[in-house]
Amino acid sequence: MKPCSVVVCGVGGQGVLLLARTLAEAAFIEGLDVVQSEIHGLAQRGGAVVAHVRFGSRVHSPLVDPYKADLLLSLEALEALRNRVYAGRKTSVVCNMLILPPPSAAAMRMKIPKLDEIKEAFAHAKLFEYVEAQRIAGEKGLPQGANMVVLGFSFGLGLLPLSEKGLLEAIKTVVPDRYIEKNIELFNVGRKVAESRK
Amino acid sequence: MGLKLNDLIASGEPGRKVLLLGNEAIARGAVEAGVSVAASYPGTPSSEIGLTLAQIAEQVGMYFEWSVNEKVAFETAAAAAMSGLRALAFMKHVGLNVAADAFVSLAYTGCPGGFLLVTADDPSCHSSQNEQDNRYYAKLALTPVLEPSTPHEAKEMTVRAYDLSEKHEMPFILRTTTRVSHTRGIVELGEARDRPKIGEYKKDWRRYVLIPANARVRRAVLLEKERDLREEAEKSEFNAVEEGEGEIGVITSGVSYCYVKEAARELGVSPPILKLGFTSPTPYSLIESFSKDLRAVLVVEELEPVLETEVRCTLQKSRLRVEVLGKMTEHIPRAYELNTGIVGAALAKSLGLEWTVEEIPEGKAKAPPRPPVLCPGCPHRGTAYILKQVVGDEAVYSGDIGCYSLVAIPPYNLMDNIHCMGASIGLANGFSKAQGRPVVALIGDSTFFHAGIPALINAVYNRHPMLVVVMDNRITAMTGFQPHPGTGMTATGAKAREVSIEDIAKACGADYVATFDPYDIDKGIAEVKKALSHEIPVLVARRPCAILEWREKRRRGEKPKVYHVDEDKCVGCLKCIRDTGCPALIAIGEKVQIEKELCAGCGLCARVCPTKAVEVVD
C-alpha cells in the first residue's frame, strides 16, 4: 500500500493527539508500517496543536510535506486554515464545524474568517466537508469527543484506507477505559452522518 | 490507556512489537539494558523518558529521580556508573550546558559501569531558546555518539550503548532530535537484563582525583580510548552502506536518513547511501571506502554541518578528490529542521534533476495567530496583574523559563528578557548595577531550586537591589507536572521532605520574605507595596497550578465555582479580555461570554470589569 499521509490539527485540549494516536494504532493493528509525529511543550491548552500520521507498506519520514496530505482532519475551522499549507489538489479536508476565536484576536478586534470563507480557501482541494462534530458530541454528553465524530465521519466518507475493526480496536487501546463506550458511540454517529450525506 | 502502555514498556515480552514514542522507546531500552539508576531534570523534548520511568521504576526495580537540575542529575547517574552500575542521565540539549562541567570530567575518569547520556536536540526551537547542536559537546569531551533515526533504533542503540560503554569504560551519548524524541513508531521489544541494586565503588586515586598530575595522565588515556572507539565505529552495526546507482552518494545520520529515503522514492532514484548511526569518533575508513569511487557526496544532517566537516576532513586526509555537498555549499539550509521537501530539493539539485512542488495560490481568508496562553484560572495571571498595578511598566522585568514565561507576551508583556534557567535573578544582579530602572526578577518554583539560589545569594552578598517574585504553582508544570523539592513528593510518588522556598530565601539573607495568594489581589497588592520598601525582598506568589487543582477537584467530585456575564450590564469594552487574556472569555458580537467548560473560577475578570457585569453562577 502506498503511503497515506494525514495531518490532524486543532486547539490544545480538543484531543488532537488522541485522534492522531488512534489513527496510528489502527494502522499498526492492520499490520502496516506507521510513523506519527507530534509537538509537545509550552502550555498547550488554548494553543494551536498539530500532529502528522503516515502509514503504508513502508513509510520513513515522520512529517507530511506541504501540499502532500491525503487527508487533513481539523477539530477547529481556523486551525484548518492555519494548516492549509498541507492541502494540495489531491487532499481531502474534514473539519469540525466550530470556530474558537483566539482571545488575543478578540482583544484586538481582528476580523475572524467565517465558516464559508474558510471553506472557500480550500476550493482547490479534492474535497472539503464540515461536520457538526461539536454539536453532536455535546448532545451526547462528551464535548471533548468531537474528535471521534470527525474520525467516524471521515471513515464513513471512505477517506480512511483502514478497516472499521482496526479503528474500533485502536479506540479501545488509546482511550481511557471509562470513555471507550462513549467514544465508539460518537464514532458511529459520525459515520452515520457521512453515510446520510452520500 | 497510560497504564496499559507502561505495563508493556515495563514487562512486555521479547519479540513483541509495540507502537512507542521515541522517548518511550529509550525508557524501554533502559529497562532492557538493566539500568539501575536514572536521573534527569525535565525538559522538552526529553521529558517523556522520565514521565515513563517515573511510572515504571518501582515495578522494574530501577531507581529514578527528578534531580534539582541537570548537573546534579548527571552527577547522580555518574556516581552510579563509577560504582559499577548501569546508569542513565537524560536532558534537553540546553540541559547539557548546565551539566557540561560534570560531563567533561566523567569523560576523563571514565566509569566501570555503563553510562549513557541522552541529549535531546530541538531543531526549529519548537520548545527551546536556541538551536544548539550537542554533537559539538562530544567533540569537546571526546565522547562517542550514537544517532538514532527512528524510535526502534533509539531503543536498540540505548541497549547497545551500555555494552560498548562498559567495554571501553567511557560515557556514551545518545543524540536525538525532536522528530525522533516525539515520533511514534514500531518498536520490537528485546530481552531485559538483570538489574543489580547495589554496586561497588573501587577506590582509584589516580583515576578519580582529577588534580593536574592525574588529569594529564587521563588526557592521554582519553586519546587512546578515542582511537579504540573509532575502530568500534568503523565496524558498528549502526553504520551501513546501502548499495545504489550513480556517482553521487549520500551520507546521512539521524532522522535525516528518513527524509533521504522518502525523497529518493519520490524522485525515483536510488543513490548509494552511507547511513551513520555511530557518528563519533568519525569512522574515517568507512567514509573513505564509501566515497572513493564517487564523484560527489551529499551530506544530510540536522542542525550544524558537523558530519559534513568530518567528511571533508576524511577526504582531504585521504587525498580523495570527491566533491562534498551539503550545508556549507548551501544545498541544504543551516537553520531549522529538515523535511522531505528540503532534502528532496537538495538531492535533486545534486543529481541534476528537478524537484517539483505543487503551486497553490494563496487563499483570501487568513487564520488569526493563536499563541499559547495561560490556562483559565492560572495563578500566574493574578501575579502578573498585581505587578502591573503596583510596579507598572517602568521596571526592568527579568524573566525565566516555565509556563510563567507566557506573561512575556500580550496582553501582559511583563518580561523584558528570557535567557536561560535561573537568569531572571542572575541578570537582575547586573541590571541593578548597570542601569537606573527598578529591577524585578520573575522566577518559577522549580527554576528557583534549579539555578535561582546561587544568584540570590550573590544579590545579597554584593548588594544588588531587586524584587524577586517566586511564582510558585507547586509543580514543574510546563514539562508535564513533575514534582520538585518544594512539593513534598519524589518522582515515583513517595513522600519527601518539603523544602521551603521562604526558608531558603531567609537563609540566603533576603531583607524581607512574604507569601501571598495570587487569587487574593488586594492582599497581593499590599504585599508588593510593603516589599518594595526593602532593598532585596523575596515574595512567594503561591497557588497550585489550575490544571492540577481542576483534576483534584474532579477527583473529589467537587464542582468548581464558575462565572458568567450579565448581558445587560456588559458594554463590550473587552477590558476583561485585554487585561486577563483568559481563554474562557469569548467576544461574541458586541458582548463577552464566559465559556462554562473552561472557566476555572479565579474571578479576575469579575474584578477588572468596569460595569460589574461578571458574576458567580449560583
Side-chain angles (χ1 to χ4, degrees), chain B residues 18-48:
Chain B
V18 189
L19 207 48
L20 294 182
L21 208 57
N23 283 338
E24 293 164 349
I26 292 168
R28 169 68 191 192
V31 171
E32 289 181 14
V35 167
S36 298
V37 172
S40 176
Y41 182 83
T44 313
S46 77
S47 308
E48 296 79 10

Side-chain angles (χ1 to χ4, degrees), chain B residues 103-170:
Chain B
F103 164 68
V104 179
S105 285
L106 187 67
Y108 267 64
T109 66
C111 43
F115 184 94
L116 183 65
L117 166 71
V118 179
T119 156
D121 289 6
D122 189 18
S124 284
C125 310
H126 290 290
S127 43
S128 306
Q129 66 267 45
N130 75 31
E131 219 185 23
Q132 73 185 47
D133 189 325
N134 275 10
R135 292 176 299 173
Y136 282 132
Y137 271 114
K139 304 271 172 230
L140 182 85
L142 303 184
T143 49
V145 176
L146 301 174
E147 290 184 62
S149 305
T150 63
H152 179 70
E153 262 184 22
K155 195 223 40 160
E156 294 291 294
M157 286 180 176
T158 299
V159 176
R160 182 78 176 114
Y162 282 96
D163 296 332
L164 293 168
S165 171
E166 279 173 4
K167 180 175 166 194
H168 296 275
E169 301 209 357
M170 267 299 278

Side-chain angles (χ1 to χ4, degrees), chain A residues 3 10-12 18 21 24-26 28 31-48 52 54 58-68 76 78-79 81-82 84 87-90 99-114 117-118 120-121 124 143-144 171-180, chain B residues 1-2 4-5 17-19 21 44 48 126-127 150-151 178-179 182-186 255 257-259 261-262 265-266 337-342 355-376 402-403 405-406 410 478 547 550 554 571-574 577-578 581-587 589-590 595 597-598:
Chain A
V11 177
L18 190 94
R21 250 205 87 191
E25 287 286 348
F28 175 57
L32 296 169
D33 190 16
V34 51
V35 279
Q36 178 219 325
S37 106
E38 54 200 45
I39 286 298
H40 308 192
L42 277 179
Q44 296 235 325
R45 283 198 149 205
H52 298 201
R54 303 186 67 245
R58 188 83 179 90
V59 283
H60 297 283
S61 168
L63 296 178
V64 177
D65 262 32
Y67 312 121
K68 296 273 177 74
E76 197 272 343
L78 296 173
E79 292 313 306
L81 196 53
R82 192 181 320 285
R84 180 180 181 270
R89 292 187 176 82
K90 292 178 188 159
I99 290 184
L100 296 173
S104 54
M108 290 180 277
R109 295 217 188 263
M110 277 172 84
K111 189 181 168 301
I112 306 291
K114 297 193 168 44
E117 291 169 329
I118 293 169
E120 180 60 32
H124 66 282
Q144 66 270 41
I171 293 173
K172 287 179 198 158
T173 310
V174 168
V175 171
D177 284 342
R178 64 182 187 283
Y179 294 118
I180 290 175
Chain B
M1 174 279 290
K4 296 184 217 166
L5 189 64
K17 289 185 176 167
V18 189
L19 207 48
L21 208 57
T44 313
E48 296 79 10
H126 290 290
S127 43
T150 63
T178 301
R179 299 301 177 179
H182 283 172
T183 284
R184 219 173 275 283
I186 300 170
V255 70
Y257 166 79
C258 303
Y259 305 134
K261 293 293 282 184
E262 209 77 57
R265 171 157 69 185
E266 282 194 34
E337 69 180 357
L338 304 180
N339 59 33
T340 303
I342 293 169
W355 178 263
T356 50
V357 180
E358 196 173 348
E359 275 180 41
I360 308 287
E362 270 199 39
K364 252 196 275 167
K366 294 275 180 293
R370 192 188 298 279
V373 288
L374 294 176
C375 302
C403 284
S405 298
L406 292 172
M478 185 169 65
I547 294 183
W550 181 77
R554 221 167 57 154
V571 294
C573 66
L574 302 188
I577 293 181
R578 271 199 308 272
C582 177
L585 298 168
I586 296 173
E590 291 299 301
E595 181 70 57
E597 296 291 330
L598 292 177

